[in-house]
Amino acid sequence: QLVIKAIVGFAVFCVSIWLILDNVLGGSSDFTQVVTDPTTGKPVVNPDLAYPGWTPIEGGGDINVWVQLLLFLPFSNIVMGYLEGSQIAILALEKAPAKTIKRTFRGAYFGHKLTQQRDNVRRYLLGRQFLVVFVDFIAAHTMGLGGLGILVPVSQLWPQILGASNPAWFMSTWGSKGVLLLALMMEFTGLCHFSWGLFTVFFVVRNLVTEGDEKADVGSVGQAVDIEGVGAGGEQVEDIDELRQIVVDQQEKIEALERTIAGRS
């Protein structure tokens, strides 16, 4: 099955590359605004002009195909990758102890410390979503529908898998740090602030209809991790065998962490 999946995935990748190149070099990109043949709809080629020899429409805002291929395509896919992977990494480490992050993955400490301040996780999520839509806009208008075979598996799903498998490492990359700062800056501009208003309405209404400890979970992004014999939902473990198993599991994690630290020193 893995071989079949690899073959299908590679075939989709190759077809997507071909469709993207055909879309851009064929003059079908939305950023290409040139004189076209009214009968075929294809760009008119002028042999006196440099490749591809198309005559831009005056005032049409035409963008050269090389700019689209060498700038827009790499930019949209790379930035999208960091936007997707950093989201997984930040949410995975939101409730991780800062001292542990600083000691084991010092490169991730900057991003982790920044997200711990006030509502920066939610602010990041709002700014990130704006950037995702913006990058999707560039990618869609450049690559066309055929670009889904690159944008989804390569620029979105692959970074998500990387971020989920090793969130601390992914957060330590310069790309993740950059998109984190950029997302916070975009949220600061106020373009996403209406979402805060909607959240406030939800928060107030939810508090009015809930009672007791449930109110503490309103608006919570992540879940705290407790290693003192308490379950993930906060329930006390009363079974002695289950408690022993928790202690054994935590001891194995401690030993693995000690080996990691020893290997880096």
Side-chain angles (χ1 to χ4, degrees), residues 15 29 31 42 44 68 73-74 88 93 97 144 153 186 209 217 223 226 235 251 253 260:
V15 172
S29 169
F31 291 120
K42 298 292 183 180
V44 176
Q68 298 182 48
L73 284 180
I88 301 297
L93 299 177
M186 293 308 303
V209 299
D217 294 330
Q223 293 294 329
D226 186 56
E235 67 277 7
Q251 184 61 40
K253 293 180 180 179
T260 301

PDB file of all heavy atoms in Angstrom, residues 15 29 31 42 44 68 73-74 88 93 97 144 153 186 209 217 223 226 235 251 253 260:
ATOM      1  N   VAL A  15       1.855  15.813 -12.406  1.00  0.00           N
ATOM      2  CA  VAL A  15       0.757  16.393 -13.176  1.00  0.00           C
ATOM      3  C   VAL A  15       0.494  17.825 -12.735  1.00  0.00           C
ATOM      4  O   VAL A  15       0.251  18.717 -13.555  1.00  0.00           O
ATOM      5  CB  VAL A  15      -0.524  15.537 -13.026  1.00  0.00           C
ATOM      6  CG1 VAL A  15      -1.720  16.249 -13.654  1.00  0.00           C
ATOM      7  CG2 VAL A  15      -0.327  14.173 -13.680  1.00  0.00           C
ATOM      8  N   SER A  29      -2.600  32.554 -16.462  1.00  0.00           N
ATOM      9  CA  SER A  29      -2.538  33.063 -15.094  1.00  0.00           C
ATOM     10  C   SER A  29      -3.328  34.364 -14.978  1.00  0.00           C
ATOM     11  O   SER A  29      -3.331  35.191 -15.892  1.00  0.00           O
ATOM     12  CB  SER A  29      -1.086  33.296 -14.680  1.00  0.00           C
ATOM     13  OG  SER A  29      -1.008  34.023 -13.473  1.00  0.00           O
ATOM     14  N   PHE A  31      -2.574  36.803 -13.257  1.00  0.00           N
ATOM     15  CA  PHE A  31      -1.651  37.930 -13.193  1.00  0.00           C
ATOM     16  C   PHE A  31      -1.098  38.306 -14.559  1.00  0.00           C
ATOM     17  O   PHE A  31      -0.358  39.281 -14.684  1.00  0.00           O
ATOM     18  CB  PHE A  31      -0.488  37.608 -12.251  1.00  0.00           C
ATOM     19  CG  PHE A  31      -0.894  37.526 -10.815  1.00  0.00           C
ATOM     20  CD1 PHE A  31      -0.714  36.357 -10.095  1.00  0.00           C
ATOM     21  CD2 PHE A  31      -1.458  38.616 -10.169  1.00  0.00           C
ATOM     22  CE1 PHE A  31      -1.080  36.275  -8.760  1.00  0.00           C
ATOM     23  CE2 PHE A  31      -1.840  38.552  -8.841  1.00  0.00           C
ATOM     24  CZ  PHE A  31      -1.648  37.375  -8.136  1.00  0.00           C
ATOM     25  N   LYS A  42      -5.543  32.889 -26.893  1.00  0.00           N
ATOM     26  CA  LYS A  42      -4.147  32.750 -26.512  1.00  0.00           C
ATOM     27  C   LYS A  42      -3.413  34.075 -26.704  1.00  0.00           C
ATOM     28  O   LYS A  42      -3.787  34.891 -27.544  1.00  0.00           O
ATOM     29  CB  LYS A  42      -3.467  31.661 -27.339  1.00  0.00           C
ATOM     30  CG  LYS A  42      -4.059  30.273 -27.152  1.00  0.00           C
ATOM     31  CD  LYS A  42      -3.792  29.754 -25.748  1.00  0.00           C
ATOM     32  CE  LYS A  42      -4.314  28.330 -25.580  1.00  0.00           C
ATOM     33  NZ  LYS A  42      -4.052  27.802 -24.214  1.00  0.00           N
ATOM     34  N   VAL A  44      -0.962  36.872 -27.994  1.00  0.00           N
ATOM     35  CA  VAL A  44      -0.339  37.137 -29.297  1.00  0.00           C
ATOM     36  C   VAL A  44       1.163  37.262 -29.092  1.00  0.00           C
ATOM     37  O   VAL A  44       1.622  38.053 -28.248  1.00  0.00           O
ATOM     38  CB  VAL A  44      -0.902  38.422 -29.925  1.00  0.00           C
ATOM     39  CG1 VAL A  44      -0.189  38.735 -31.230  1.00  0.00           C
ATOM     40  CG2 VAL A  44      -2.409  38.272 -30.155  1.00  0.00           C
ATOM     41  N   GLN A  68       6.313  35.562 -11.723  1.00  0.00           N
ATOM     42  CA  GLN A  68       5.341  34.604 -11.200  1.00  0.00           C
ATOM     43  C   GLN A  68       5.996  33.267 -10.862  1.00  0.00           C
ATOM     44  O   GLN A  68       5.715  32.673  -9.814  1.00  0.00           O
ATOM     45  CB  GLN A  68       4.222  34.393 -12.215  1.00  0.00           C
ATOM     46  CG  GLN A  68       3.419  35.640 -12.540  1.00  0.00           C
ATOM     47  CD  GLN A  68       2.292  35.365 -13.516  1.00  0.00           C
ATOM     48  OE1 GLN A  68       1.533  34.421 -13.347  1.00  0.00           O
ATOM     49  NE2 GLN A  68       2.177  36.186 -14.553  1.00  0.00           N
ATOM     50  N   LEU A  73       5.518  31.789  -6.940  1.00  0.00           N
ATOM     51  CA  LEU A  73       5.366  30.366  -6.634  1.00  0.00           C
ATOM     52  C   LEU A  73       6.173  29.953  -5.399  1.00  0.00           C
ATOM     53  O   LEU A  73       5.609  29.364  -4.467  1.00  0.00           O
ATOM     54  CB  LEU A  73       5.769  29.519  -7.845  1.00  0.00           C
ATOM     55  CG  LEU A  73       4.761  29.464  -8.994  1.00  0.00           C
ATOM     56  CD1 LEU A  73       5.292  28.595 -10.117  1.00  0.00           C
ATOM     57  CD2 LEU A  73       3.427  28.922  -8.514  1.00  0.00           C
ATOM     58  N   PRO A  74       7.489  30.240  -5.343  1.00  0.00           N
ATOM     59  CA  PRO A  74       8.228  29.870  -4.123  1.00  0.00           C
ATOM     60  C   PRO A  74       7.712  30.584  -2.885  1.00  0.00           C
ATOM     61  O   PRO A  74       7.582  29.974  -1.824  1.00  0.00           O
ATOM     62  CB  PRO A  74       9.669  30.275  -4.447  1.00  0.00           C
ATOM     63  CG  PRO A  74       9.734  30.378  -5.928  1.00  0.00           C
ATOM     64  CD  PRO A  74       8.377  30.819  -6.366  1.00  0.00           C
ATOM     65  N   ILE A  88       0.480  24.098  14.136  1.00  0.00           N
ATOM     66  CA  ILE A  88       0.502  22.825  14.851  1.00  0.00           C
ATOM     67  C   ILE A  88       1.496  22.882  16.006  1.00  0.00           C
ATOM     68  O   ILE A  88       1.204  22.444  17.132  1.00  0.00           O
ATOM     69  CB  ILE A  88       0.871  21.681  13.894  1.00  0.00           C
ATOM     70  CG1 ILE A  88      -0.132  21.597  12.731  1.00  0.00           C
ATOM     71  CG2 ILE A  88       0.944  20.363  14.648  1.00  0.00           C
ATOM     72  CD1 ILE A  88      -1.536  21.291  13.144  1.00  0.00           C
ATOM     73  N   LEU A  93       2.613  23.105  21.885  1.00  0.00           N
ATOM     74  CA  LEU A  93       3.498  23.508  22.979  1.00  0.00           C
ATOM     75  C   LEU A  93       2.918  24.618  23.840  1.00  0.00           C
ATOM     76  O   LEU A  93       3.613  25.136  24.715  1.00  0.00           O
ATOM     77  CB  LEU A  93       4.850  23.970  22.410  1.00  0.00           C
ATOM     78  CG  LEU A  93       5.651  22.937  21.628  1.00  0.00           C
ATOM     79  CD1 LEU A  93       6.914  23.568  21.068  1.00  0.00           C
ATOM     80  CD2 LEU A  93       5.997  21.742  22.501  1.00  0.00           C
ATOM     81  N   PRO A  97       5.863  23.501  29.788  1.00  0.00           N
ATOM     82  CA  PRO A  97       6.625  24.334  30.727  1.00  0.00           C
ATOM     83  C   PRO A  97       7.745  25.091  30.013  1.00  0.00           C
ATOM     84  O   PRO A  97       8.515  24.502  29.254  1.00  0.00           O
ATOM     85  CB  PRO A  97       7.202  23.315  31.719  1.00  0.00           C
ATOM     86  CG  PRO A  97       6.326  22.105  31.593  1.00  0.00           C
ATOM     87  CD  PRO A  97       5.882  22.082  30.161  1.00  0.00           C
ATOM     88  N   GLY A 144      -3.485  28.411 -10.606  1.00  0.00           N
ATOM     89  CA  GLY A 144      -4.740  27.876 -11.098  1.00  0.00           C
ATOM     90  C   GLY A 144      -5.168  26.656 -10.295  1.00  0.00           C
ATOM     91  O   GLY A 144      -4.566  26.297  -9.275  1.00  0.00           O
ATOM     92  N   PRO A 153      -0.658  18.945  -0.610  1.00  0.00           N
ATOM     93  CA  PRO A 153       0.213  17.926   0.003  1.00  0.00           C
ATOM     94  C   PRO A 153       1.595  18.433   0.390  1.00  0.00           C
ATOM     95  O   PRO A 153       2.163  17.991   1.388  1.00  0.00           O
ATOM     96  CB  PRO A 153       0.308  16.850  -1.085  1.00  0.00           C
ATOM     97  CG  PRO A 153       0.075  17.577  -2.354  1.00  0.00           C
ATOM     98  CD  PRO A 153      -0.890  18.684  -2.034  1.00  0.00           C
ATOM     99  N   MET A 186      -0.035  41.426  11.768  1.00  0.00           N
ATOM    100  CA  MET A 186      -1.262  41.542  10.987  1.00  0.00           C
ATOM    101  C   MET A 186      -2.473  41.680  11.899  1.00  0.00           C
ATOM    102  O   MET A 186      -3.395  42.445  11.623  1.00  0.00           O
ATOM    103  CB  MET A 186      -1.429  40.323  10.083  1.00  0.00           C
ATOM    104  CG  MET A 186      -0.392  40.202   8.975  1.00  0.00           C
ATOM    105  SD  MET A 186      -0.240  41.708   7.983  1.00  0.00           S
ATOM    106  CE  MET A 186      -1.920  41.927   7.418  1.00  0.00           C
ATOM    107  N   VAL A 209     -25.060  30.764  30.308  1.00  0.00           N
ATOM    108  CA  VAL A 209     -25.794  29.497  30.235  1.00  0.00           C
ATOM    109  C   VAL A 209     -25.034  28.328  30.842  1.00  0.00           C
ATOM    110  O   VAL A 209     -25.538  27.207  30.857  1.00  0.00           O
ATOM    111  CB  VAL A 209     -26.149  29.164  28.772  1.00  0.00           C
ATOM    112  CG1 VAL A 209     -27.043  30.232  28.180  1.00  0.00           C
ATOM    113  CG2 VAL A 209     -24.888  28.990  27.928  1.00  0.00           C
ATOM    114  N   ASP A 217     -13.462  26.722  31.131  1.00  0.00           N
ATOM    115  CA  ASP A 217     -13.027  26.227  29.828  1.00  0.00           C
ATOM    116  C   ASP A 217     -13.465  27.112  28.670  1.00  0.00           C
ATOM    117  O   ASP A 217     -13.121  26.845  27.522  1.00  0.00           O
ATOM    118  CB  ASP A 217     -13.580  24.814  29.595  1.00  0.00           C
ATOM    119  CG  ASP A 217     -12.987  23.811  30.568  1.00  0.00           C
ATOM    120  OD1 ASP A 217     -11.835  24.023  30.977  1.00  0.00           O
ATOM    121  OD2 ASP A 217     -13.685  22.840  30.922  1.00  0.00           O
ATOM    122  N   GLN A 223      -5.005  22.378  26.298  1.00  0.00           N
ATOM    123  CA  GLN A 223      -5.325  21.686  27.537  1.00  0.00           C
ATOM    124  C   GLN A 223      -4.058  21.546  28.369  1.00  0.00           C
ATOM    125  O   GLN A 223      -3.007  21.193  27.857  1.00  0.00           O
ATOM    126  CB  GLN A 223      -5.909  20.300  27.244  1.00  0.00           C
ATOM    127  CG  GLN A 223      -7.265  20.349  26.566  1.00  0.00           C
ATOM    128  CD  GLN A 223      -8.331  20.941  27.469  1.00  0.00           C
ATOM    129  OE1 GLN A 223      -8.291  20.804  28.680  1.00  0.00           O
ATOM    130  NE2 GLN A 223      -9.306  21.610  26.871  1.00  0.00           N
ATOM    131  N   ASP A 226      -1.141  17.396  33.224  1.00  0.00           N
ATOM    132  CA  ASP A 226      -0.854  17.153  34.636  1.00  0.00           C
ATOM    133  C   ASP A 226      -0.238  15.775  34.772  1.00  0.00           C
ATOM    134  O   ASP A 226      -0.740  14.804  34.208  1.00  0.00           O
ATOM    135  CB  ASP A 226      -2.135  17.242  35.461  1.00  0.00           C
ATOM    136  CG  ASP A 226      -1.857  17.146  36.951  1.00  0.00           C
ATOM    137  OD1 ASP A 226      -1.065  17.961  37.448  1.00  0.00           O
ATOM    138  OD2 ASP A 226      -2.417  16.250  37.594  1.00  0.00           O
ATOM    139  N   GLU A 235      -9.863  14.569  36.215  1.00  0.00           N
ATOM    140  CA  GLU A 235     -10.446  13.643  37.170  1.00  0.00           C
ATOM    141  C   GLU A 235      -9.345  12.943  37.972  1.00  0.00           C
ATOM    142  O   GLU A 235      -8.285  12.628  37.446  1.00  0.00           O
ATOM    143  CB  GLU A 235     -11.319  12.606  36.449  1.00  0.00           C
ATOM    144  CG  GLU A 235     -10.566  11.637  35.550  1.00  0.00           C
ATOM    145  CD  GLU A 235     -10.290  12.205  34.182  1.00  0.00           C
ATOM    146  OE1 GLU A 235     -10.568  13.406  33.977  1.00  0.00           O
ATOM    147  OE2 GLU A 235      -9.784  11.441  33.328  1.00  0.00           O
ATOM    148  N   GLN A 251       8.065   8.026  34.215  1.00  0.00           N
ATOM    149  CA  GLN A 251       9.470   7.733  34.450  1.00  0.00           C
ATOM    150  C   GLN A 251      10.184   7.461  33.129  1.00  0.00           C
ATOM    151  O   GLN A 251      11.341   7.884  32.933  1.00  0.00           O
ATOM    152  CB  GLN A 251       9.601   6.519  35.380  1.00  0.00           C
ATOM    153  CG  GLN A 251      11.041   6.189  35.774  1.00  0.00           C
ATOM    154  CD  GLN A 251      11.710   7.313  36.517  1.00  0.00           C
ATOM    155  OE1 GLN A 251      11.090   7.961  37.344  1.00  0.00           O
ATOM    156  NE2 GLN A 251      12.981   7.560  36.221  1.00  0.00           N
ATOM    157  N   LYS A 253       9.373   8.746  30.265  1.00  0.00           N
ATOM    158  CA  LYS A 253       9.527  10.044  29.607  1.00  0.00           C
ATOM    159  C   LYS A 253      10.674  10.833  30.218  1.00  0.00           C
ATOM    160  O   LYS A 253      11.423  11.504  29.502  1.00  0.00           O
ATOM    161  CB  LYS A 253       8.219  10.834  29.708  1.00  0.00           C
ATOM    162  CG  LYS A 253       7.070  10.235  28.923  1.00  0.00           C
ATOM    163  CD  LYS A 253       5.808  11.067  29.061  1.00  0.00           C
ATOM    164  CE  LYS A 253       4.652  10.458  28.281  1.00  0.00           C
ATOM    165  NZ  LYS A 253       3.403  11.256  28.423  1.00  0.00           N
ATOM    166  N   THR A 260      18.187  12.666  26.005  1.00  0.00           N
ATOM    167  CA  THR A 260      18.240  13.728  24.998  1.00  0.00           C
ATOM    168  C   THR A 260      19.157  14.847  25.448  1.00  0.00           C
ATOM    169  O   THR A 260      19.988  15.357  24.680  1.00  0.00           O
ATOM    170  CB  THR A 260      16.836  14.277  24.740  1.00  0.00           C
ATOM    171  OG1 THR A 260      15.988  13.214  24.299  1.00  0.00           O
ATOM    172  CG2 THR A 260      16.876  15.373  23.669  1.00  0.00           C
TER     173      THR A 260
END
